[in-house]
Amino acid sequence: MSPIYILDNASVPARYGIAASLWANRLGLPLWSLRPEFAGDVPDSHQHVCRAGYCVTSGLWRSDTLREEVRDIASLPDEDAIIVLASTQAALISGLPGQRLYSDDSPDRLTLRDDQQTLLALTADRYGRWDETASAPAQASVRIGLIGREADHRLVYPATLGSLGDAATSLGRELAIDFLPPASLSADLHELAGLDGVVLPGGSSMAAVSGQIRVAQATLASGLATLGLCLGMQSMMTAAVRQQPGCEAAIPAEVAPAAKLHSFIPFADGRHRCGVFPFSSGLIPGDIREMHYNHRYRFNTDLLTALAASGAQVSAQSDDIVEAVSLPGHPFWHGVQGHPELWSRPDAPHPLFVAFLQAALNGRA
């Protein structure tokens, strides 16, 4: 069998490979990607952690069959696979055998077609989830604050928003999402008023950290359901440590390398911890056995005493790496170093997102 090549004309990372992923899932074929590049302000364009242990284009997160994303055409398989590549790279495969399909990205629809017919016609719901069946939005009953620019969540890294949608659907609820760019948060954080919960996501932009820390400091005391992911967990732990005398200026080293007190420090061996690794916790909700990880910094264990004095506690740990933090007695204040959003599927929402929304609902009741 020759490969099936899918030429994708998506101009933003969140839409690249969507049709190819769903088509490969349907056919049960392995998916490969020739790494695309994107222009513009897209810092998280390649932040989906694959099991092979590195990051690939963020739009591939719904693939159940993804094998690898490569930079060299010579590294692609020559049989039994679906291969997605940017339309602008078509010349690279002009002499190779295999069927050609075409993924077309229009403002409100994604289509996959061959030379004769449309194979997939996909539309997105309010959570950015692409499907062949469009659903009419119901009235929102829960309001969630999602830290970050709306364009980043919808066009660059779609997994967090999509996972909230998966959890909401499983609970029979619709969410109103308030996108809260951290750089433009008000001094009094009045944007948090009226929310039922807030998510502090991951990301590679250190400009988000100051705002995330401020939000985490506010939710420590307010009882507002709070979920932190990767960089979001680091912001939560920094907020907790800052409550203690002498630690008010604690900051992750990635944000301010020259600062006197670092809440998160680089691994001593300089590693990039990237891949899917075991996870276990007695406090983090849900039966979670594994998690995707993508980080180069770990919590500074010299600050464990300060963390404990704040009331927060380490709720998962591997050797000297803090994997999760929780605040016992709070309705829901949990952060994880990993990326649970990358496991979520419409028919199998991640249990941590479901637990978060249930806590948000209980807080409203």
Side-chain angles (χ1 to χ4, degrees), residues 210-245:
S210 177
Q212 291 217 57
I213 292 172
R214 292 177 56 219
V215 171
Q217 287 174 319
T219 64
L220 268 168
S222 70
L224 183 65
T226 304
L227 173 62
L229 313 171
C230 195
L231 185 66
M233 184 206 79
Q234 296 184 10
S235 299
M236 293 170 74
M237 296 189 76
T238 303
V241 165
R242 282 186 176 186
Q243 292 190 335
Q244 303 312 305

PDB file of all heavy atoms in Angstrom, residues 210-245:
ATOM      1  N   SER A 210       3.091  36.870  35.343  1.00  0.00           N
ATOM      2  CA  SER A 210       2.727  37.862  36.356  1.00  0.00           C
ATOM      3  C   SER A 210       1.214  37.905  36.565  1.00  0.00           C
ATOM      4  O   SER A 210       0.731  37.893  37.709  1.00  0.00           O
ATOM      5  CB  SER A 210       3.243  39.241  35.945  1.00  0.00           C
ATOM      6  OG  SER A 210       2.849  40.224  36.885  1.00  0.00           O
ATOM      7  N   GLY A 211       0.460  37.928  35.476  1.00  0.00           N
ATOM      8  CA  GLY A 211      -0.995  37.933  35.590  1.00  0.00           C
ATOM      9  C   GLY A 211      -1.529  36.653  36.180  1.00  0.00           C
ATOM     10  O   GLY A 211      -2.469  36.676  36.998  1.00  0.00           O
ATOM     11  N   GLN A 212      -0.950  35.531  35.805  1.00  0.00           N
ATOM     12  CA  GLN A 212      -1.409  34.251  36.360  1.00  0.00           C
ATOM     13  C   GLN A 212      -1.154  34.187  37.865  1.00  0.00           C
ATOM     14  O   GLN A 212      -1.995  33.684  38.620  1.00  0.00           O
ATOM     15  CB  GLN A 212      -0.695  33.089  35.653  1.00  0.00           C
ATOM     16  CG  GLN A 212      -1.097  32.894  34.201  1.00  0.00           C
ATOM     17  CD  GLN A 212      -1.152  31.423  33.807  1.00  0.00           C
ATOM     18  OE1 GLN A 212      -1.865  30.648  34.420  1.00  0.00           O
ATOM     19  NE2 GLN A 212      -0.429  31.067  32.771  1.00  0.00           N
ATOM     20  N   ILE A 213      -0.018  34.664  38.302  1.00  0.00           N
ATOM     21  CA  ILE A 213       0.278  34.662  39.738  1.00  0.00           C
ATOM     22  C   ILE A 213      -0.734  35.520  40.488  1.00  0.00           C
ATOM     23  O   ILE A 213      -1.241  35.124  41.559  1.00  0.00           O
ATOM     24  CB  ILE A 213       1.715  35.164  39.996  1.00  0.00           C
ATOM     25  CG1 ILE A 213       2.732  34.152  39.463  1.00  0.00           C
ATOM     26  CG2 ILE A 213       1.945  35.408  41.492  1.00  0.00           C
ATOM     27  CD1 ILE A 213       4.164  34.647  39.507  1.00  0.00           C
ATOM     28  N   ARG A 214      -1.077  36.676  39.953  1.00  0.00           N
ATOM     29  CA  ARG A 214      -2.065  37.542  40.603  1.00  0.00           C
ATOM     30  C   ARG A 214      -3.419  36.854  40.714  1.00  0.00           C
ATOM     31  O   ARG A 214      -4.090  36.937  41.752  1.00  0.00           O
ATOM     32  CB  ARG A 214      -2.197  38.852  39.825  1.00  0.00           C
ATOM     33  CG  ARG A 214      -0.971  39.754  39.890  1.00  0.00           C
ATOM     34  CD  ARG A 214      -1.161  40.998  39.033  1.00  0.00           C
ATOM     35  NE  ARG A 214      -2.370  41.701  39.442  1.00  0.00           N
ATOM     36  CZ  ARG A 214      -3.215  42.288  38.611  1.00  0.00           C
ATOM     37  NH1 ARG A 214      -3.018  42.229  37.289  1.00  0.00           N
ATOM     38  NH2 ARG A 214      -4.278  42.922  39.066  1.00  0.00           N
ATOM     39  N   VAL A 215      -3.823  36.179  39.665  1.00  0.00           N
ATOM     40  CA  VAL A 215      -5.106  35.463  39.711  1.00  0.00           C
ATOM     41  C   VAL A 215      -5.047  34.342  40.744  1.00  0.00           C
ATOM     42  O   VAL A 215      -5.984  34.155  41.533  1.00  0.00           O
ATOM     43  CB  VAL A 215      -5.449  34.908  38.319  1.00  0.00           C
ATOM     44  CG1 VAL A 215      -6.659  33.974  38.401  1.00  0.00           C
ATOM     45  CG2 VAL A 215      -5.738  36.040  37.345  1.00  0.00           C
ATOM     46  N   ALA A 216      -3.952  33.588  40.764  1.00  0.00           N
ATOM     47  CA  ALA A 216      -3.821  32.498  41.733  1.00  0.00           C
ATOM     48  C   ALA A 216      -3.829  33.027  43.163  1.00  0.00           C
ATOM     49  O   ALA A 216      -4.417  32.406  44.073  1.00  0.00           O
ATOM     50  CB  ALA A 216      -2.537  31.717  41.459  1.00  0.00           C
ATOM     51  N   GLN A 217      -3.196  34.166  43.403  1.00  0.00           N
ATOM     52  CA  GLN A 217      -3.230  34.766  44.737  1.00  0.00           C
ATOM     53  C   GLN A 217      -4.663  35.103  45.143  1.00  0.00           C
ATOM     54  O   GLN A 217      -5.068  34.904  46.292  1.00  0.00           O
ATOM     55  CB  GLN A 217      -2.360  36.028  44.763  1.00  0.00           C
ATOM     56  CG  GLN A 217      -0.868  35.750  44.729  1.00  0.00           C
ATOM     57  CD  GLN A 217      -0.040  37.020  44.606  1.00  0.00           C
ATOM     58  OE1 GLN A 217      -0.392  37.934  43.845  1.00  0.00           O
ATOM     59  NE2 GLN A 217       1.067  37.100  45.342  1.00  0.00           N
ATOM     60  N   ALA A 218      -5.438  35.613  44.184  1.00  0.00           N
ATOM     61  CA  ALA A 218      -6.828  35.972  44.484  1.00  0.00           C
ATOM     62  C   ALA A 218      -7.676  34.750  44.769  1.00  0.00           C
ATOM     63  O   ALA A 218      -8.506  34.756  45.684  1.00  0.00           O
ATOM     64  CB  ALA A 218      -7.416  36.770  43.322  1.00  0.00           C
ATOM     65  N   THR A 219      -7.471  33.680  44.007  1.00  0.00           N
ATOM     66  CA  THR A 219      -8.332  32.501  44.187  1.00  0.00           C
ATOM     67  C   THR A 219      -7.929  31.666  45.392  1.00  0.00           C
ATOM     68  O   THR A 219      -8.728  30.874  45.882  1.00  0.00           O
ATOM     69  CB  THR A 219      -8.321  31.623  42.920  1.00  0.00           C
ATOM     70  OG1 THR A 219      -7.008  31.097  42.690  1.00  0.00           O
ATOM     71  CG2 THR A 219      -8.784  32.411  41.707  1.00  0.00           C
ATOM     72  N   LEU A 220      -6.710  31.843  45.880  1.00  0.00           N
ATOM     73  CA  LEU A 220      -6.322  31.170  47.119  1.00  0.00           C
ATOM     74  C   LEU A 220      -7.296  31.503  48.244  1.00  0.00           C
ATOM     75  O   LEU A 220      -7.664  30.640  49.048  1.00  0.00           O
ATOM     76  CB  LEU A 220      -4.913  31.613  47.537  1.00  0.00           C
ATOM     77  CG  LEU A 220      -3.720  30.793  47.077  1.00  0.00           C
ATOM     78  CD1 LEU A 220      -2.431  31.549  47.331  1.00  0.00           C
ATOM     79  CD2 LEU A 220      -3.694  29.447  47.798  1.00  0.00           C
ATOM     80  N   ALA A 221      -7.708  32.758  48.293  1.00  0.00           N
ATOM     81  CA  ALA A 221      -8.559  33.224  49.388  1.00  0.00           C
ATOM     82  C   ALA A 221     -10.036  33.238  49.046  1.00  0.00           C
ATOM     83  O   ALA A 221     -10.881  33.182  49.945  1.00  0.00           O
ATOM     84  CB  ALA A 221      -8.118  34.624  49.803  1.00  0.00           C
ATOM     85  N   SER A 222     -10.366  33.297  47.769  1.00  0.00           N
ATOM     86  CA  SER A 222     -11.765  33.526  47.399  1.00  0.00           C
ATOM     87  C   SER A 222     -12.629  32.280  47.350  1.00  0.00           C
ATOM     88  O   SER A 222     -13.851  32.366  47.392  1.00  0.00           O
ATOM     89  CB  SER A 222     -11.822  34.205  46.021  1.00  0.00           C
ATOM     90  OG  SER A 222     -11.422  33.296  45.006  1.00  0.00           O
ATOM     91  N   GLY A 223     -12.029  31.116  47.203  1.00  0.00           N
ATOM     92  CA  GLY A 223     -12.823  29.900  47.051  1.00  0.00           C
ATOM     93  C   GLY A 223     -13.233  29.625  45.622  1.00  0.00           C
ATOM     94  O   GLY A 223     -13.955  28.665  45.349  1.00  0.00           O
ATOM     95  N   LEU A 224     -12.789  30.450  44.671  1.00  0.00           N
ATOM     96  CA  LEU A 224     -13.126  30.243  43.267  1.00  0.00           C
ATOM     97  C   LEU A 224     -12.389  29.019  42.738  1.00  0.00           C
ATOM     98  O   LEU A 224     -11.167  28.895  42.905  1.00  0.00           O
ATOM     99  CB  LEU A 224     -12.737  31.477  42.448  1.00  0.00           C
ATOM    100  CG  LEU A 224     -13.071  31.465  40.957  1.00  0.00           C
ATOM    101  CD1 LEU A 224     -14.576  31.447  40.737  1.00  0.00           C
ATOM    102  CD2 LEU A 224     -12.451  32.690  40.264  1.00  0.00           C
ATOM    103  N   ALA A 225     -13.111  28.102  42.126  1.00  0.00           N
ATOM    104  CA  ALA A 225     -12.511  26.883  41.585  1.00  0.00           C
ATOM    105  C   ALA A 225     -11.398  27.251  40.608  1.00  0.00           C
ATOM    106  O   ALA A 225     -11.592  28.050  39.696  1.00  0.00           O
ATOM    107  CB  ALA A 225     -13.579  26.046  40.881  1.00  0.00           C
ATOM    108  N   THR A 226     -10.216  26.645  40.799  1.00  0.00           N
ATOM    109  CA  THR A 226      -9.042  27.010  40.019  1.00  0.00           C
ATOM    110  C   THR A 226      -8.303  25.756  39.571  1.00  0.00           C
ATOM    111  O   THR A 226      -7.996  24.875  40.382  1.00  0.00           O
ATOM    112  CB  THR A 226      -8.084  27.889  40.843  1.00  0.00           C
ATOM    113  OG1 THR A 226      -8.802  29.035  41.325  1.00  0.00           O
ATOM    114  CG2 THR A 226      -6.903  28.344  40.023  1.00  0.00           C
ATOM    115  N   LEU A 227      -8.014  25.702  38.279  1.00  0.00           N
ATOM    116  CA  LEU A 227      -7.260  24.596  37.696  1.00  0.00           C
ATOM    117  C   LEU A 227      -6.038  25.167  36.993  1.00  0.00           C
ATOM    118  O   LEU A 227      -6.159  26.061  36.150  1.00  0.00           O
ATOM    119  CB  LEU A 227      -8.120  23.820  36.690  1.00  0.00           C
ATOM    120  CG  LEU A 227      -7.418  22.735  35.859  1.00  0.00           C
ATOM    121  CD1 LEU A 227      -6.848  21.639  36.761  1.00  0.00           C
ATOM    122  CD2 LEU A 227      -8.383  22.135  34.837  1.00  0.00           C
ATOM    123  N   GLY A 228      -4.846  24.660  37.341  1.00  0.00           N
ATOM    124  CA  GLY A 228      -3.610  25.124  36.727  1.00  0.00           C
ATOM    125  C   GLY A 228      -2.946  24.013  35.937  1.00  0.00           C
ATOM    126  O   GLY A 228      -2.876  22.872  36.398  1.00  0.00           O
ATOM    127  N   LEU A 229      -2.454  24.345  34.752  1.00  0.00           N
ATOM    128  CA  LEU A 229      -1.831  23.381  33.852  1.00  0.00           C
ATOM    129  C   LEU A 229      -0.413  23.830  33.530  1.00  0.00           C
ATOM    130  O   LEU A 229      -0.215  24.915  32.983  1.00  0.00           O
ATOM    131  CB  LEU A 229      -2.634  23.265  32.551  1.00  0.00           C
ATOM    132  CG  LEU A 229      -4.154  23.106  32.690  1.00  0.00           C
ATOM    133  CD1 LEU A 229      -4.831  23.226  31.326  1.00  0.00           C
ATOM    134  CD2 LEU A 229      -4.494  21.784  33.342  1.00  0.00           C
ATOM    135  N   CYS A 230       0.572  23.033  33.888  1.00  0.00           N
ATOM    136  CA  CYS A 230       1.981  23.289  33.566  1.00  0.00           C
ATOM    137  C   CYS A 230       2.414  24.669  34.074  1.00  0.00           C
ATOM    138  O   CYS A 230       2.593  24.859  35.268  1.00  0.00           O
ATOM    139  CB  CYS A 230       2.217  23.120  32.068  1.00  0.00           C
ATOM    140  SG  CYS A 230       3.977  22.990  31.636  1.00  0.00           S
ATOM    141  N   LEU A 231       2.555  25.644  33.197  1.00  0.00           N
ATOM    142  CA  LEU A 231       2.913  26.993  33.626  1.00  0.00           C
ATOM    143  C   LEU A 231       1.894  27.539  34.621  1.00  0.00           C
ATOM    144  O   LEU A 231       2.242  28.295  35.528  1.00  0.00           O
ATOM    145  CB  LEU A 231       3.017  27.921  32.411  1.00  0.00           C
ATOM    146  CG  LEU A 231       3.504  29.344  32.666  1.00  0.00           C
ATOM    147  CD1 LEU A 231       4.953  29.350  33.137  1.00  0.00           C
ATOM    148  CD2 LEU A 231       3.362  30.187  31.403  1.00  0.00           C
ATOM    149  N   GLY A 232       0.636  27.129  34.471  1.00  0.00           N
ATOM    150  CA  GLY A 232      -0.400  27.540  35.417  1.00  0.00           C
ATOM    151  C   GLY A 232      -0.142  27.000  36.806  1.00  0.00           C
ATOM    152  O   GLY A 232      -0.350  27.701  37.812  1.00  0.00           O
ATOM    153  N   MET A 233       0.311  25.738  36.919  1.00  0.00           N
ATOM    154  CA  MET A 233       0.668  25.192  38.225  1.00  0.00           C
ATOM    155  C   MET A 233       1.849  25.952  38.817  1.00  0.00           C
ATOM    156  O   MET A 233       1.887  26.255  40.019  1.00  0.00           O
ATOM    157  CB  MET A 233       1.013  23.711  38.124  1.00  0.00           C
ATOM    158  CG  MET A 233       1.306  23.067  39.481  1.00  0.00           C
ATOM    159  SD  MET A 233       2.393  21.613  39.458  1.00  0.00           S
ATOM    160  CE  MET A 233       4.012  22.377  39.307  1.00  0.00           C
ATOM    161  N   GLN A 234       2.832  26.266  37.990  1.00  0.00           N
ATOM    162  CA  GLN A 234       3.991  27.007  38.480  1.00  0.00           C
ATOM    163  C   GLN A 234       3.568  28.375  39.022  1.00  0.00           C
ATOM    164  O   GLN A 234       4.092  28.843  40.038  1.00  0.00           O
ATOM    165  CB  GLN A 234       5.018  27.148  37.363  1.00  0.00           C
ATOM    166  CG  GLN A 234       5.604  25.823  36.904  1.00  0.00           C
ATOM    167  CD  GLN A 234       6.689  25.967  35.863  1.00  0.00           C
ATOM    168  OE1 GLN A 234       7.159  27.068  35.587  1.00  0.00           O
ATOM    169  NE2 GLN A 234       7.105  24.858  35.280  1.00  0.00           N
ATOM    170  N   SER A 235       2.609  29.000  38.372  1.00  0.00           N
ATOM    171  CA  SER A 235       2.093  30.282  38.851  1.00  0.00           C
ATOM    172  C   SER A 235       1.375  30.112  40.185  1.00  0.00           C
ATOM    173  O   SER A 235       1.501  30.959  41.090  1.00  0.00           O
ATOM    174  CB  SER A 235       1.142  30.884  37.813  1.00  0.00           C
ATOM    175  OG  SER A 235       1.804  31.125  36.591  1.00  0.00           O
ATOM    176  N   MET A 236       0.612  29.031  40.330  1.00  0.00           N
ATOM    177  CA  MET A 236      -0.107  28.771  41.578  1.00  0.00           C
ATOM    178  C   MET A 236       0.862  28.547  42.730  1.00  0.00           C
ATOM    179  O   MET A 236       0.682  29.093  43.835  1.00  0.00           O
ATOM    180  CB  MET A 236      -1.025  27.561  41.400  1.00  0.00           C
ATOM    181  CG  MET A 236      -2.166  27.795  40.426  1.00  0.00           C
ATOM    182  SD  MET A 236      -3.072  26.281  40.002  1.00  0.00           S
ATOM    183  CE  MET A 236      -4.010  25.998  41.516  1.00  0.00           C
ATOM    184  N   MET A 237       1.893  27.758  42.515  1.00  0.00           N
ATOM    185  CA  MET A 237       2.849  27.479  43.587  1.00  0.00           C
ATOM    186  C   MET A 237       3.626  28.743  43.957  1.00  0.00           C
ATOM    187  O   MET A 237       3.913  28.983  45.144  1.00  0.00           O
ATOM    188  CB  MET A 237       3.790  26.355  43.171  1.00  0.00           C
ATOM    189  CG  MET A 237       3.092  25.024  42.952  1.00  0.00           C
ATOM    190  SD  MET A 237       4.226  23.633  42.724  1.00  0.00           S
ATOM    191  CE  MET A 237       4.782  23.366  44.415  1.00  0.00           C
ATOM    192  N   THR A 238       3.951  29.557  42.972  1.00  0.00           N
ATOM    193  CA  THR A 238       4.635  30.816  43.253  1.00  0.00           C
ATOM    194  C   THR A 238       3.734  31.734  44.079  1.00  0.00           C
ATOM    195  O   THR A 238       4.196  32.386  45.027  1.00  0.00           O
ATOM    196  CB  THR A 238       5.050  31.496  41.947  1.00  0.00           C
ATOM    197  OG1 THR A 238       5.883  30.616  41.187  1.00  0.00           O
ATOM    198  CG2 THR A 238       5.789  32.796  42.210  1.00  0.00           C
ATOM    199  N   ALA A 239       2.458  31.779  43.742  1.00  0.00           N
ATOM    200  CA  ALA A 239       1.511  32.598  44.500  1.00  0.00           C
ATOM    201  C   ALA A 239       1.430  32.145  45.948  1.00  0.00           C
ATOM    202  O   ALA A 239       1.372  32.971  46.874  1.00  0.00           O
ATOM    203  CB  ALA A 239       0.130  32.526  43.845  1.00  0.00           C
ATOM    204  N   ALA A 240       1.417  30.824  46.162  1.00  0.00           N
ATOM    205  CA  ALA A 240       1.333  30.301  47.521  1.00  0.00           C
ATOM    206  C   ALA A 240       2.587  30.636  48.326  1.00  0.00           C
ATOM    207  O   ALA A 240       2.509  31.083  49.482  1.00  0.00           O
ATOM    208  CB  ALA A 240       1.119  28.788  47.478  1.00  0.00           C
ATOM    209  N   VAL A 241       3.753  30.453  47.710  1.00  0.00           N
ATOM    210  CA  VAL A 241       5.013  30.725  48.402  1.00  0.00           C
ATOM    211  C   VAL A 241       5.127  32.203  48.762  1.00  0.00           C
ATOM    212  O   VAL A 241       5.637  32.565  49.847  1.00  0.00           O
ATOM    213  CB  VAL A 241       6.199  30.277  47.511  1.00  0.00           C
ATOM    214  CG1 VAL A 241       7.508  30.863  48.015  1.00  0.00           C
ATOM    215  CG2 VAL A 241       6.268  28.763  47.457  1.00  0.00           C
ATOM    216  N   ARG A 242       4.637  33.072  47.905  1.00  0.00           N
ATOM    217  CA  ARG A 242       4.759  34.516  48.136  1.00  0.00           C
ATOM    218  C   ARG A 242       4.002  34.992  49.373  1.00  0.00           C
ATOM    219  O   ARG A 242       4.228  36.123  49.843  1.00  0.00           O
ATOM    220  CB  ARG A 242       4.246  35.286  46.916  1.00  0.00           C
ATOM    221  CG  ARG A 242       5.212  35.336  45.755  1.00  0.00           C
ATOM    222  CD  ARG A 242       4.678  36.232  44.652  1.00  0.00           C
ATOM    223  NE  ARG A 242       5.603  36.392  43.550  1.00  0.00           N
ATOM    224  CZ  ARG A 242       5.418  37.218  42.527  1.00  0.00           C
ATOM    225  NH1 ARG A 242       4.311  37.977  42.491  1.00  0.00           N
ATOM    226  NH2 ARG A 242       6.298  37.306  41.571  1.00  0.00           N
ATOM    227  N   GLN A 243       3.152  34.182  49.917  1.00  0.00           N
ATOM    228  CA  GLN A 243       2.414  34.578  51.117  1.00  0.00           C
ATOM    229  C   GLN A 243       3.314  34.620  52.351  1.00  0.00           C
ATOM    230  O   GLN A 243       2.942  35.231  53.357  1.00  0.00           O
ATOM    231  CB  GLN A 243       1.256  33.604  51.371  1.00  0.00           C
ATOM    232  CG  GLN A 243       0.149  33.680  50.341  1.00  0.00           C
ATOM    233  CD  GLN A 243      -1.059  32.870  50.770  1.00  0.00           C
ATOM    234  OE1 GLN A 243      -0.954  31.923  51.548  1.00  0.00           O
ATOM    235  NE2 GLN A 243      -2.220  33.245  50.275  1.00  0.00           N
ATOM    236  N   GLN A 244       4.458  33.973  52.279  1.00  0.00           N
ATOM    237  CA  GLN A 244       5.317  33.865  53.456  1.00  0.00           C
ATOM    238  C   GLN A 244       6.354  34.982  53.508  1.00  0.00           C
ATOM    239  O   GLN A 244       6.888  35.405  52.475  1.00  0.00           O
ATOM    240  CB  GLN A 244       6.019  32.502  53.461  1.00  0.00           C
ATOM    241  CG  GLN A 244       5.052  31.332  53.423  1.00  0.00           C
ATOM    242  CD  GLN A 244       3.928  31.483  54.437  1.00  0.00           C
ATOM    243  OE1 GLN A 244       4.194  31.664  55.637  1.00  0.00           O
ATOM    244  NE2 GLN A 244       2.692  31.413  53.967  1.00  0.00           N
ATOM    245  N   PRO A 245       6.631  35.500  54.710  1.00  0.00           N
ATOM    246  CA  PRO A 245       7.620  36.576  54.865  1.00  0.00           C
ATOM    247  C   PRO A 245       8.964  36.187  54.257  1.00  0.00           C
ATOM    248  O   PRO A 245       9.445  35.063  54.447  1.00  0.00           O
ATOM    249  CB  PRO A 245       7.719  36.736  56.389  1.00  0.00           C
ATOM    250  CG  PRO A 245       6.407  36.232  56.904  1.00  0.00           C
ATOM    251  CD  PRO A 245       6.011  35.114  55.995  1.00  0.00           C
TER     252      PRO A 245
END
